[in-house]
Amino acid sequence: MKREEILDGLRQSPKVDVCVIGGGINGISVFRELALQGLNVLLIEKHDYCSGASSALSRMVHGGLRYLENGEFKLVQESLVERDRLLRNAPHYVAPLPTTVPVFDIFSGLGNGIVRFLGLSRRPSRRGAVAIKAGLSIYDFLTRKRALMPRHQFRGRRTTLEKWPALNPDLKSSATYFDAWVSHPERLGIELLHDGFLADTEAKALNYAELRRTEDGRYHVEDHIGGASVVVEPAMIINATGGWIDIANETLLAPENRPAPLMGGTKGSHLIIDNADLRDALADHMIYYENEDGRICILFPYLGKVLVGSTDIRVDDPETVRCEADERNYILQSLAFVLPDIKIRPEEIVFQFAGVRPLPASTDSFTGRIPRDHFCTVVEPKDGGLPVLCMIGGKWTTFRSFGELAADMTLERLGRQRRVATTDRPIGGGRAFPTNTPVWLAQVATAKGLSGAHMAELFARYGTDAEAVAGFIAAGPNVPLPHTGYSVREFQFLIRDEAVEHLDDLLLRRTTLAVSGELSLDMMDAVLDLLAQEKRWTSAQRANERTRFLTLLDERHGVDEDMLSARNEPRSTECDTTAKSG
Ligand SMILES: Cc1cc2nc3c(=O)[nH]c(=O)nc-3n(C[C@H](O)[C@H](O)[C@H](O)COP(=O)(O)OP(=O)(O)OC[C@H]3O[C@@H](n4cnc5c(N)ncnc54)[C@H](O)[C@@H]3O)c2cc1C
């Protein structure tokens, strides 16, 4: 449904069952759950979908080995179950990730673990081989029945350095186990939204909009694109704004009805590095290592580059967080510790990002020890306002079970029944996933008249939804773009089908062009031209959009216009993958 249709529909019929505010992965998850149960649900997102923490994660889909030392066994168990579900339900984006932990001590960590368990200390400390062995054995035990991936394995110092010669030679041994990673977390959010739309035609969502309670006690949707303000009458509100939860409650609840602060978010930053020695040094593994201060850091191959992170710093307002110079230095220093001979030049940092973990309020002075679990609480205003179910905490990995929990509480309050379970429900391009991918690709490529290479690229980006994208591409004349992997028709498909309002929606979230460091200035301008054409922008609007994007990219992601311009070379004028697409 188009934006204007949604707003017109609300003008004519303002009643909805539930209004979810916050379109990160958790808000979208509960939206999908409720839409599948037949509820008339409206999702309102202030910026773009999955533009907050849900675009800033380490891209690990994991049980959370280190949460074991905080005693969060239930969370680890739930996360491992959800990880394994995602491997089955979203195989186009979630894949196994062999993970290696370099071990620098034998016994340390154990004593501290016991001391922490007794509540006597919460200070992070080095983890030795015995502590890591204990954690990995629990991991194996929790997944023993499903056994989707191999069990953990230890290597001695010599065999570790044979496989990873660039690792710090002070190590004593290493442990390898399996977790998983997600390639396109923002796209998976869009696919979940679409699943909700497909399930129930009354379910609708708006990005770039806010819900506000006005002085007369009514609730208004404020549209930041067209400027409209439309009254809505939900029976209940779900606050899924993650790190913004207390700030959002201020717009929904009078001061006397607000709960004590629910959120104690911490900021984390990552770098994307383009350095072939670094990439090769990983031998396709994630290195999950402890920095000298005892903090866990990660690095793993990501879309041809290397993702490195992260930091953990308390913040109050997630609105404008970015990776600061001291965080960048910290991450580079941690890298120099674990891979001492690999030198990173500043221009090899092709992208950076930061976000706020929506952690529950906590007074713990060590951020790594704040619980990572999730829960919901319902705030009942005493002034006749609507109940607000607040979703607190949560990892990306557990978005389905968190959405399920919030949906079940909502259904119970509204006296509605659950009709559909999501546990085994494939997501978006994970539906009808082929058992024999080459055969599937060859068949679809032939049917749509695209080259095999083009079809394979579309499949990597959209899973089985690539068939619909290929159909759209094949149905019109195609024009190449400065980035040879993409074509004009593909961008038109995204603009028309995926609620794109700004250039950053396309370049930062619907595609991985920016995060993978592949975005050039020419490509940016070409995509902007397309968007301006589709939106019928004036040249002044186009110029404003260009400035908006370049400012955002520079301030939030450390990529300035000169860096984009340098990526214009070498240029290609041919879109090889469209050769057969007509
Ligand atoms: C550095 C870092 C690393 C992480 N790594 C991992 C990892 O590897 N694996 C993992 O499982 N988890 C990881 N996480 C955690 C995970 O990213 C988050 O738990 C998850 O994305 C939270 O999703 P959310 O929907 O609750 O919040 P968000 O994604 O932040 O969504 C909240 C949304 O609410 C919107 N909003 C705010 N105010 C309003 C309003 N008034 N009206 C409407 N909308 C509003 C915001 O714009 C935002 O889009 C990491 C988090 C960080 C920050």
Side-chain angles (χ1 to χ4, degrees), residues 21 239-254 258-265 315-318 358-362 377 379 388 390-392:
I21 65 166
N239 183 348
T241 58
W244 286 263
I245 201 161
D246 295 310
I247 300 168
N249 273 341
E250 288 174 17
T251 65
L252 302 170
L253 298 160
R258 285 176 208 152
L262 299 168
M263 195 55 62
V315 290
D316 293 326
D317 186 352
L359 306 179
S362 161
T377 184
V379 182
V388 179
C390 298
M391 295 175 74
I392 300 139

Coordinates of all heavy atoms in Angstrom, one line a residue, residues 21 239-254 258-265 315-318 358-362 377 379 388 390-392:
I21 N 5.0 1.2 17.8 CA 5.9 2.3 17.5 C 7.4 1.8 17.6 O 7.7 1.1 18.5 CB 5.7 3.6 18.2 CG1 5.9 3.5 19.7 CG2 4.3 4.1 18.0 CD1 6.0 4.8 20.4
N239 N 5.4 -0.1 22.6 CA 6.5 0.7 22.5 C 7.8 -0.2 22.2 O 8.3 -0.8 23.1 CB 6.7 1.6 23.7 CG 7.9 2.5 23.6 OD1 8.7 2.4 22.7 ND2 8.0 3.5 24.5
A240 N 8.2 -0.2 20.9 CA 9.3 -1.1 20.5 C 10.4 -0.2 20.0 O 11.0 -0.5 19.0 CB 8.9 -2.1 19.5
T241 N 10.7 0.9 20.7 CA 11.7 1.9 20.2 C 13.1 1.6 20.8 O 14.0 2.5 20.6 CB 11.2 3.3 20.5 OG1 11.1 3.5 21.9 CG2 9.9 3.7 19.8
G242 N 13.3 0.5 21.4 CA 14.7 0.1 21.7 C 15.3 1.1 22.6 O 14.8 1.5 23.7
G243 N 16.5 1.6 22.2 CA 17.2 2.6 23.0 C 16.5 3.9 23.3 O 16.8 4.7 24.1
W244 N 15.4 4.1 22.5 CA 14.6 5.4 22.7 C 13.4 5.2 23.6 O 12.6 6.1 23.7 CB 14.1 5.8 21.3 CG 15.0 6.4 20.3 CD1 15.2 7.8 20.1 CD2 15.8 5.7 19.4 NE1 16.1 7.9 19.1 CE2 16.5 6.7 18.6 CE3 16.0 4.4 19.1 CZ2 17.4 6.4 17.6 CZ3 16.9 4.1 18.0 CH2 17.6 5.1 17.3
I245 N 13.3 4.0 24.2 CA 12.0 3.7 24.9 C 11.5 4.7 25.9 O 10.3 5.1 25.9 CB 12.1 2.3 25.5 CG1 10.7 1.7 25.7 CG2 12.9 2.3 26.8 CD1 10.7 0.2 25.9
D246 N 12.4 5.3 26.7 CA 12.0 6.3 27.7 C 11.6 7.6 27.0 O 10.7 8.2 27.4 CB 13.1 6.5 28.8 CG 13.3 5.2 29.6 OD1 12.4 4.6 30.1 OD2 14.5 4.8 29.7
I247 N 12.4 7.9 26.0 CA 12.1 9.2 25.3 C 10.7 9.1 24.6 O 9.9 10.0 24.6 CB 13.2 9.5 24.2 CG1 14.6 9.6 24.9 CG2 12.9 10.7 23.4 CD1 15.8 9.6 24.0
A248 N 10.5 7.9 24.0 CA 9.2 7.7 23.3 C 8.0 7.7 24.3 O 6.9 8.2 24.0 CB 9.2 6.4 22.5
N249 N 8.2 7.1 25.5 CA 7.2 7.2 26.5 C 6.8 8.6 26.8 O 5.6 8.8 27.2 CB 7.6 6.4 27.8 CG 7.3 4.9 27.6 OD1 6.5 4.5 26.8 ND2 8.0 4.1 28.5
E250 N 7.7 9.5 26.7 CA 7.4 10.9 27.0 C 6.3 11.5 26.1 O 5.6 12.4 26.4 CB 8.6 11.8 27.0 CG 9.6 11.5 28.2 CD 10.9 12.2 28.1 OE1 11.0 13.2 27.3 OE2 11.8 11.8 28.8
T251 N 6.3 10.9 24.8 CA 5.3 11.4 23.9 C 4.0 10.7 24.0 O 3.0 11.1 23.3 CB 5.9 11.2 22.4 OG1 6.0 9.8 22.1 CG2 7.2 11.9 22.2
L252 N 3.9 9.7 24.8 CA 2.7 8.9 24.9 C 2.0 9.0 26.3 O 0.9 8.7 26.4 CB 3.0 7.4 24.6 CG 3.7 7.1 23.3 CD1 4.2 5.6 23.3 CD2 2.7 7.3 22.2
L253 N 2.8 9.3 27.3 CA 2.3 9.2 28.7 C 2.6 10.5 29.4 O 3.7 11.1 29.3 CB 3.1 8.1 29.4 CG 2.9 6.7 28.9 CD1 4.0 5.7 29.3 CD2 1.5 6.1 29.3
A254 N 1.6 10.9 30.2 CA 1.8 12.1 31.0 C 2.8 11.9 32.1 O 3.0 10.7 32.5 CB 0.5 12.5 31.7
R258 N 4.4 8.0 33.8 CA 5.6 7.3 33.2 C 6.3 6.4 34.2 O 6.4 6.7 35.3 CB 6.6 8.4 32.7 CG 6.1 9.1 31.5 CD 7.1 10.2 31.1 NE 6.3 11.2 30.3 CZ 6.6 12.5 30.3 NH1 7.6 13.0 30.9 NH2 5.8 13.3 29.6
P259 N 6.8 5.3 33.7 CA 7.5 4.4 34.6 C 8.9 4.9 34.9 O 9.4 5.8 34.2 CB 7.7 3.1 33.8 CG 7.6 3.5 32.3 CD 6.7 4.8 32.3
A260 N 9.6 4.4 35.9 CA 11.0 4.7 36.1 C 11.8 4.3 34.8 O 11.3 3.5 34.1 CB 11.5 3.9 37.3
P261 N 12.9 5.0 34.6 CA 13.7 4.7 33.3 C 13.8 3.2 33.1 O 14.2 2.4 34.0 CB 15.0 5.4 33.6 CG 14.7 6.5 34.5 CD 13.6 6.0 35.4
L262 N 13.5 2.8 31.9 CA 13.6 1.3 31.5 C 14.9 1.0 30.9 O 15.3 -0.2 30.9 CB 12.4 1.0 30.6 CG 11.0 1.2 31.1 CD1 10.0 1.1 30.0 CD2 10.7 0.2 32.2
M263 N 15.5 2.0 30.3 CA 16.6 1.7 29.4 C 18.0 2.2 29.9 O 18.0 3.2 30.5 CB 16.4 2.4 28.0 CG 17.2 1.9 26.9 SD 17.2 0.1 26.6 CE 15.4 -0.2 26.2
G264 N 19.0 1.4 29.7 CA 20.4 1.8 30.0 C 21.3 1.5 28.9 O 22.2 0.6 29.1
G265 N 21.1 2.0 27.8 CA 21.7 1.6 26.5 C 23.2 1.8 26.5 O 23.7 2.8 27.2
V315 N 25.3 5.5 26.9 CA 24.8 6.7 26.4 C 23.4 6.9 26.8 O 22.7 5.9 27.0 CB 24.9 6.8 24.8 CG1 26.3 6.9 24.3 CG2 24.2 5.6 24.2
D316 N 22.8 8.1 26.7 CA 21.4 8.3 27.1 C 20.5 8.4 25.9 O 19.4 8.1 25.9 CB 21.3 9.6 28.0 CG 22.0 9.4 29.3 OD1 21.9 8.3 29.8 OD2 22.6 10.4 29.8
D317 N 21.0 9.1 24.8 CA 20.2 9.3 23.7 C 20.8 8.7 22.4 O 21.9 9.1 22.0 CB 20.0 10.9 23.5 CG 19.0 11.2 22.4 OD1 18.6 10.3 21.7 OD2 18.7 12.4 22.3
P318 N 20.1 7.8 21.8 CA 20.7 7.1 20.6 C 20.7 7.9 19.3 O 21.2 7.4 18.3 CB 19.8 5.8 20.5 CG 18.8 5.8 21.5 CD 18.8 7.2 22.2
P358 N 19.9 -1.8 23.2 CA 18.8 -1.5 24.0 C 18.8 -2.3 25.3 O 18.0 -3.2 25.4 CB 17.6 -1.7 23.2 CG 18.0 -2.8 22.2 CD 19.5 -2.7 22.0
L359 N 19.7 -2.0 26.2 CA 19.8 -2.9 27.4 C 18.9 -2.4 28.5 O 18.7 -1.2 28.6 CB 21.3 -2.9 27.9 CG 22.3 -3.3 26.9 CD1 23.7 -3.2 27.5 CD2 22.0 -4.7 26.3
P360 N 18.5 -3.2 29.4 CA 17.6 -2.8 30.5 C 18.4 -1.8 31.4 O 19.6 -1.9 31.5 CB 17.3 -4.1 31.3 CG 17.8 -5.2 30.5 CD 18.7 -4.7 29.4
A361 N 17.7 -0.9 32.1 CA 18.4 0.0 33.0 C 19.2 -0.8 34.0 O 18.7 -1.8 34.5 CB 17.3 0.8 33.7
S362 N 20.4 -0.4 34.3 CA 21.3 -1.1 35.3 C 22.3 -0.1 35.9 O 22.7 0.8 35.2 CB 22.0 -2.2 34.5 OG 23.1 -2.7 35.2
T377 N 6.8 -5.1 29.8 CA 6.0 -4.6 30.9 C 4.9 -3.7 30.3 O 5.2 -3.0 29.4 CB 6.9 -3.9 31.9 OG1 6.1 -3.5 33.0 CG2 7.6 -2.7 31.4
V379 N 2.5 -0.6 30.8 CA 2.2 0.6 31.6 C 0.8 1.0 31.5 O 0.3 1.2 30.3 CB 3.1 1.8 31.1 CG1 2.9 3.0 32.0 CG2 4.6 1.4 31.2
V388 N 0.4 0.9 27.4 CA 1.5 0.9 26.5 C 2.4 -0.3 27.0 O 2.9 -0.4 28.1 CB 2.4 2.2 26.7 CG1 3.6 2.1 25.8 CG2 1.5 3.4 26.3
C390 N 5.7 -2.1 26.8 CA 7.1 -1.7 26.5 C 7.9 -3.0 26.3 O 7.9 -3.9 27.2 CB 7.6 -0.9 27.6 SG 6.7 0.6 27.9
M391 N 8.7 -3.0 25.2 CA 9.6 -4.1 24.9 C 11.0 -3.7 25.3 O 11.5 -2.8 24.7 CB 9.5 -4.5 23.4 CG 8.2 -5.0 23.0 SD 8.1 -5.3 21.2 CE 9.1 -6.8 21.0
I392 N 11.6 -4.4 26.3 CA 12.8 -3.9 26.9 C 13.9 -5.0 26.6 O 13.7 -6.2 26.9 CB 12.7 -3.7 28.4 CG1 11.6 -2.6 28.6 CG2 14.0 -3.2 29.0 CD1 10.7 -2.9 29.7

